[in-house]
């Protein structure tokens, strides 16, 4: 009988982490930024059907980078958790922090299990508050840890370089047009430092808008509405009122 090959637990975890990180890095980056009236999600996504951003509940949005089938399963699970908790208790009991804890437990269990490969995903769960001080943004890497973010966050692809760019330029009280312009500038930067143009039709944009009168604060921005905002950001002018294109 042959002796089984031994791998230390530390080396096994390091190998699994490296496997997951490489899978996430192959995907396109996305960014989540706070602005004066809420939180904006921006990413390069040529598909009109396979979304990186989605609504989870009234004030909660979801963003993900990595393998679509894996983060789509997590999104569906999050929607079911939120609906069940809101129905059983109260709608105000559904929070981004509670949802992040559920995702962290799921990702952590899968990552530490030797029976299956780790998920190649990195998530962002965001909740818009009544005021900017009440906004919450949580980043969840592949291993199930939770990182409380403020102002801006980038995941996927060359996230480290993009995060550094955003940290230097993001400020409180930005308009939606200004935040959108900054996000596109950050996503346009390649790893070698050069810039490329990302046309509006290749962008996926969504916002959690605290000024919306209805309970559901999530809406998508596309088409002429997105072009107007990009034009307003480039010109430094006032943004036009966004139409209510709710998901």
């Amino acid at each position: 009988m042959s002796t089984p090959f031994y791998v230390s637990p530390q080396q096994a975890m390091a190998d699994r982490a490296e496997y997951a990180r490489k899978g996430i890095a192959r995907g396109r980056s996305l960014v989540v930024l706070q602005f004066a009236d809420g939180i904006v999600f921006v990413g390069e996504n040529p598909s009109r059907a396979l979304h990186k951003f989605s609504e989870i509940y009234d004030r909660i949005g979801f963003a993900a980078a990595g393998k679509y089938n894996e983060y789509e399963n997590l999104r569906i699970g999050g929607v079911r958790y939120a609906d069940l908790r809101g129905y059983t208790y109260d709608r105000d009991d559904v929070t981004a922090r509670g949802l992040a804890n559920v995702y962290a437990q799921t990702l952590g269990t899968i990552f530490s299990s030797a029976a299956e490969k780790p998920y190649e995903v990195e998530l962002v769960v965001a909740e818009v508050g009544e005021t900017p001080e009440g906004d919450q943004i949580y980043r969840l890497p592949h291993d199930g840890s939770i990182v409380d973010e403020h102002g801006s966050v980038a995941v996927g692809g060359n996230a480290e370089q993009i995060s550094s760019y955003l940290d230097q330029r993001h400020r409180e009280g930005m308009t939606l047009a200004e935040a959108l312009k900054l996000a596109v500038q950050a996503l346009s930067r390649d790893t070698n430092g050069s810039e490329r143009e990302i046309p509006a039709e290749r962008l996926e944009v969504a916002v959690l808008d605290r000024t919306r009168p209805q309970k559901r604060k999530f809406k998508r921005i596309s088409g002429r509405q997105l072009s107007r905002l990009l034009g307003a950001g480039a010109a430094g002018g006032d943004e036009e009122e966004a139409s209510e294109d709710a998901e």
Side-chain angles (χ1 to χ4, degrees):
M1 182 176 179
S2 61
T3 303
F5 183 72
Y6 174 76
V7 178
S8 69
Q10 295 88 345
Q11 184 61 49
M13 289 295 101
D15 290 344
R16 292 173 68 83
E18 182 66 17
Y19 173 86
R21 281 195 294 265
K22 287 183 176 179
I24 296 168
R26 286 193 289 268
R28 293 183 174 89
S29 303
L30 60 90
V31 299
V32 180
L33 298 87
Q34 289 179 271
F35 67 101
D37 292 332
I39 300 171
V40 60
F41 304 78
V42 186
E44 184 180 0
N45 184 9
S47 174
R48 299 289 73 147
L50 306 180
H51 296 301
K52 293 175 176 287
F53 314 132
S54 298
E55 178 186 34
I56 296 293
Y57 211 61
D58 294 344
R59 293 177 166 270
I60 302 174
F62 171 95
K67 296 194 70 172
Y68 176 80
N69 65 310
E70 293 178 347
Y71 68 68
E72 178 65 6
N73 286 336
L74 292 170
R75 183 194 68 82
I76 294 172
V79 171
R80 289 173 176 167
Y81 159 83
D83 283 345
L84 179 60
R85 186 168 183 84
Y87 178 78
T88 305
Y89 300 100
D90 186 85
R91 299 185 77 89
D92 291 337
D93 290 328
V94 183
T95 64
R97 184 172 63 180
L99 184 63
N101 287 333
V102 172
Y103 281 143
Q105 183 177 6
T106 301
L107 288 172
T109 300
I110 294 172
F111 181 75
S112 59
S113 172
E116 54 184 322
K117 77 170 188 65
Y119 270 17
E120 301 168 56
V121 298
E122 190 167 10
L123 311 180
V124 176
V125 178
E127 178 179 355
V128 66
E130 296 291 345
T131 64
E133 292 73 21
D135 293 347
Q136 300 176 44
I137 302 176
Y138 300 102
R139 177 172 61 86
L140 293 98
H142 55 273
D143 60 358
S145 56
I146 302 178
V147 183
D148 186 7
E149 301 283 0
H150 300 279
S152 63
V153 60
V155 297
N158 56 330
E160 185 174 346
Q161 178 183 344
I162 293 174
S163 294
S164 177
Y165 184 89
L166 292 174
D167 289 342
Q168 296 173 16
R169 293 164 176 80
H170 181 265
R171 57 179 173 79
E172 295 182 2
M174 300 180 79
T175 66
L176 176 56
E178 290 171 341
L180 182 56
K181 177 188 175 184
L182 175 60
V184 174
Q185 288 175 338
L187 292 170
S188 299
R189 299 181 66 84
D190 292 326
T191 54
N192 59 8
S194 61
E195 294 187 15
R196 58 191 176 88
E197 182 179 356
I198 304 178
E201 58 268 20
R202 291 183 63 87
L203 289 172
E204 180 182 355
V205 179
V207 296
L208 290 169
D209 185 353
R210 80 176 94 256
T211 65
R212 298 189 82 191
Q214 57 265 59
K215 284 183 175 293
R216 296 177 63 185
K217 306 301 182 182
F218 183 92
K219 64 180 179 182
R220 298 191 183 277
I221 298 177
S222 60
R224 288 183 296 177
Q225 181 185 356
L226 177 57
S227 298
R228 287 200 305 268
L229 285 169
L230 289 172
D238 295 332
E239 66 186 69
E240 298 186 34
E241 182 67 25
S243 63
E244 298 298 317
D245 183 18
E247 186 186 65

